[in-house]
């Protein structure tokens, strides 16, 4: 991903960093870097014996299927975080918001999907270049045994982009 031509007209470069111990991959990180070298971390995967350690990782998978000739496709995004190991009985409420840009003719729309699941299926149309920009916000309010009148907020944010050099407006949400 990092061996592409530099595009200085874009605000962000999406990079991958791999961490190894000898020949073994131990971690992989994705970040967006600005021209001023500010870094916004997006995903991280920790590996144990070559397998993703889901208790320590926060990442997503993304795919779009369909006939590119008619530009009407089906998308699916799944995301994972250490919060997935929290028992359902301890989660007071949960709200997942998935937003993405949808170009139609000469207009640009923001589409939104609300759910409480880790996998989201959606329709996607792209009449130009088959690129994708989106964002996932997962908010979980967790009950605390020692403080029954209070809740702990667990937040997970992911920006999704199919380009290495991008002006993806959703990257700004990673700054929080």
């Amino acid at each position: 991903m990092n061996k592409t031509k530099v595009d200085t007209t874009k605000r962000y470069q999406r990079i991958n960093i791999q961490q190894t111990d000898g020949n073994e991959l131990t971690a992989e990180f994705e970040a967006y870097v600005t021209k001023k070298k500010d870094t916004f971390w997006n995903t991280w995967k920790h590996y144990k014996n070559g397998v993703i350690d889901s208790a320590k990782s926060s990442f997503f998978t993304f795919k779009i299927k369909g006939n590119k000739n008619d530009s009407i496709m089906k998308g699916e995004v799944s995301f994972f975080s250490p919060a997935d190991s929290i028992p359902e009985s301890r989660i007071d409420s949960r709200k997942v918001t998935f937003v993405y840009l949808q170009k139609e003719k000469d207009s640009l729309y923001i589409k939104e999907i609300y759910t409480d699941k880790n996998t989201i299926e959606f329709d996607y149309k792209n009449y130009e270049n088959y690129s994708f920009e989106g964002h996932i916000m997962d908010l979980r309010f967790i009950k605390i045994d020692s403080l029954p009148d209070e809740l702990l907020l667990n937040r997970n944010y992911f920006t999704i982009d199919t380009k290495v050099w991008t002006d993806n407006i959703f990257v700004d949400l990673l700054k929080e």
Side-chain angles (χ1 to χ4, degrees):
M1 183 179 342
N2 299 331
K3 296 179 181 178
T4 62
K5 184 178 175 185
V6 174
D7 185 348
T8 58
T9 65
K10 302 297 182 189
R11 291 176 59 196
Y12 304 104
Q13 178 187 12
R14 188 167 50 95
I15 64 168
N16 275 332
I17 300 169
Q18 293 185 341
Q19 180 178 326
T20 59
D21 183 7
N23 290 332
E24 184 179 351
L25 179 64
T26 57
E28 192 173 19
F29 307 94
E30 180 186 81
Y32 287 88
V33 180
T34 69
K35 294 176 188 177
K36 295 179 182 179
K37 304 297 182 201
D38 291 329
T39 303
F40 305 106
W41 298 103
N42 193 36
T43 65
W44 51 92
K45 299 176 191 171
H46 292 276
Y47 294 87
K48 188 172 183 178
N49 300 323
V51 178
I52 295 174
D53 183 349
S54 59
K56 296 180 180 177
S57 300
S58 185
F59 66 99
F60 65 88
T61 61
F62 173 77
K63 59 185 167 188
I64 295 221
K65 298 186 244 176
N67 184 353
K68 291 183 179 181
N69 293 330
D70 64 12
S71 300
I72 299 172
M73 296 172 268
K74 294 281 187 188
E76 180 180 290
V77 62
S78 296
F79 60 94
F80 309 88
S81 79
D84 295 334
S85 63
I86 298 169
E88 287 289 325
S89 62
R90 299 222 17 236
I91 297 178
D92 183 71
S93 64
R94 181 176 184 202
K95 184 175 183 180
V96 176
T97 305
F98 175 56
V99 295
Y100 62 97
L101 298 181
Q102 177 69 71
K103 292 180 183 179
E104 293 183 21
K105 298 183 182 176
D106 63 347
S107 299
L108 185 64
Y109 298 94
I110 294 180
K111 299 286 188 172
E112 296 178 304
I113 297 174
Y114 300 98
T115 185
D116 61 355
K117 307 290 183 217
N118 283 43
T119 298
I120 302 163
E121 295 179 352
F122 60 97
D123 293 327
Y124 183 65
K125 297 180 237 173
N126 191 329
Y127 298 102
E128 290 181 10
N129 58 11
Y130 305 108
S131 65
F132 186 89
E133 293 180 18
H135 186 76
I136 299 169
M137 179 174 59
D138 176 22
L139 302 176
R140 301 176 203 212
F141 292 91
I142 302 163
K143 299 173 193 170
I144 305 170
D145 293 337
S146 60
L147 301 167
D149 295 334
E150 296 185 24
L151 298 172
L152 174 68
L153 172 61
N154 178 273
R155 301 181 299 174
N156 292 291
Y157 299 130
F158 302 100
T159 295
I160 303 169
D161 203 313
T162 55
K163 296 179 183 175
V164 174
W165 295 92
T166 184
D167 285 324
N168 190 328
I169 61 170
F170 301 116
V171 173
D172 289 339
L173 298 173
L174 294 175
K175 295 176 186 178
E176 297 181 17

